[in-house]
Amino acid sequence: MLIDENSLATTIDNVNEALFRERPIDNEEKKAVSAWIADRFGKPRSYRGLFAPTDDDYKNGIRLFTGEKITSGAGTAHILSEEAGRVLLLLGSDINEKVRDTLLSMLSERDTPQHPWGQWCCGTCTASLWRHFAAGGGNRQEERMINGLKDITRCRNENGRWKRYPFYYTILALTEMDIAPARDELRFAGNAMERAFARLREQSEYEVRKKELLARALDRI
């Protein structure tokens, strides 16, 4: 079963694993998991009225699909909200109008008519936002991603990585963004990805995911 009644994070991770591996999810399970995630929408302790983590998520912290740990309450709530919205889109849920409107209300604080906002408070939250955009969340998705990627370009360092952006989770987001600036960033990180690929020993599920992710990303450059 994809649903973990005690954890929004684990439920999302289970769905993401199936999607990443292209494992089929039957229609009944899609409906069940979509309904369970949708029921978290707007509940107390949610981020900006989006999806509320469970008590266990707040107590234990969460791990991103690529293994990075998130321990802050705000980070947990925001990232899970972006991931939940993305998952519901990919599962074909009909709650997406509410999610879109809530997301746009949040983004409108920084939007201008000429400049739709494409980043958030930190690199991790921004990468989760890009994943949501890439799946069709919000509006003016391509413009938002292009504008957001201007920040990551400024954050490049000499090691082929980025300041403030978590390496693997950012690579994951970039592989989902079918736009030229995302491919440019993957090319920038090419040597760093090759070095990381050689070091990974696949001793945990996260390392297995990372190695597969790097192989896919290197194929795109």
Side-chain angles (χ1 to χ4, degrees):
M1 289 292 295
L2 297 176
I3 297 170
D4 182 330
E5 296 284 352
N6 296 313
S7 174
L8 177 61
T10 302
T11 300
I12 290 171
D13 190 76
N14 290 340
V15 177
N16 279 333
E17 171 69 12
L19 296 172
F20 186 72
R21 301 291 178 195
E22 299 183 349
R23 294 173 185 158
I25 305 172
D26 67 47
N27 287 334
E28 288 306 309
E29 191 157 26
K30 284 182 180 179
K31 290 177 183 177
V33 73
S34 293
W36 190 88
I37 294 173
D39 188 56
R40 307 298 307 173
F41 186 80
K43 285 195 170 182
R45 302 181 74 193
S46 62
Y47 185 87
R48 302 290 189 102
L50 288 164
F51 297 89
T54 65
D55 290 342
D56 281 2
D57 294 326
Y58 276 122
K59 178 181 177 181
N60 301 323
I62 64 170
R63 296 188 77 165
L64 304 178
F65 185 74
T66 44
E68 297 92 338
K69 293 181 180 180
I70 305 297
T71 57
S72 77
T76 292
H78 181 210
I79 291 163
L80 285 184
S81 286
E82 301 294 353
E83 289 281 347
R86 172 185 176 274
V87 160
L88 289 176
L89 281 163
L90 296 176
L91 293 177
S93 169
D94 59 5
I95 193 179
N96 289 304
E97 290 298 313
K98 291 182 180 179
V99 179
R100 185 201 65 187
D101 291 346
T102 305
L103 178 63
L104 291 179
S105 176
M106 182 178 89
L107 293 169
S108 68
E109 298 171 13
R110 305 185 185 187
D111 274 349
T112 68
Q114 295 77 29
H115 188 93
W117 200 251
Q119 62 191 83
W120 208 241
C121 59
C122 67
T124 309
C125 285
T126 296
S128 72
L129 191 65
W130 292 342
R131 274 166 57 80
H132 196 175
F133 291 151
N139 69 348
R140 302 173 69 179
Q141 294 90 350
E142 184 169 329
E143 291 178 83
R144 292 186 184 281
M145 290 187 289
I146 289 171
N147 284 328
L149 284 167
K150 292 174 183 175
D151 181 65
I152 195 175
T153 300
R154 290 190 289 267
C155 290
R156 289 178 177 181
N157 66 28
E158 65 278 4
N159 297 321
R161 298 189 178 214
W162 307 273
K163 300 171 186 175
R164 89 185 193 101
Y165 285 87
F167 185 66
Y168 292 101
Y169 190 60
T170 302
I171 294 293
L172 180 64
L174 292 171
T175 61
E176 295 166 356
M177 301 160 72
D178 190 20
I179 53 176
R183 292 188 288 274
D184 289 342
E185 294 306 315
L186 289 175
R187 281 190 287 271
F188 160 75
N191 289 337
M193 289 194 290
E194 289 177 352
R195 292 192 297 269
F197 185 88
R199 288 195 302 268
L200 288 168
R201 295 292 177 261
E202 301 182 76
Q203 294 178 342
S204 70
E205 178 58 32
Y206 293 113
E207 289 198 343
V208 172
R209 289 176 181 177
K210 288 175 182 178
K211 196 148 193 174
E212 176 61 27
L213 170 63
L214 292 177
R216 295 183 191 186
L218 287 165
D219 280 344
R220 292 175 66 90
I221 63 176

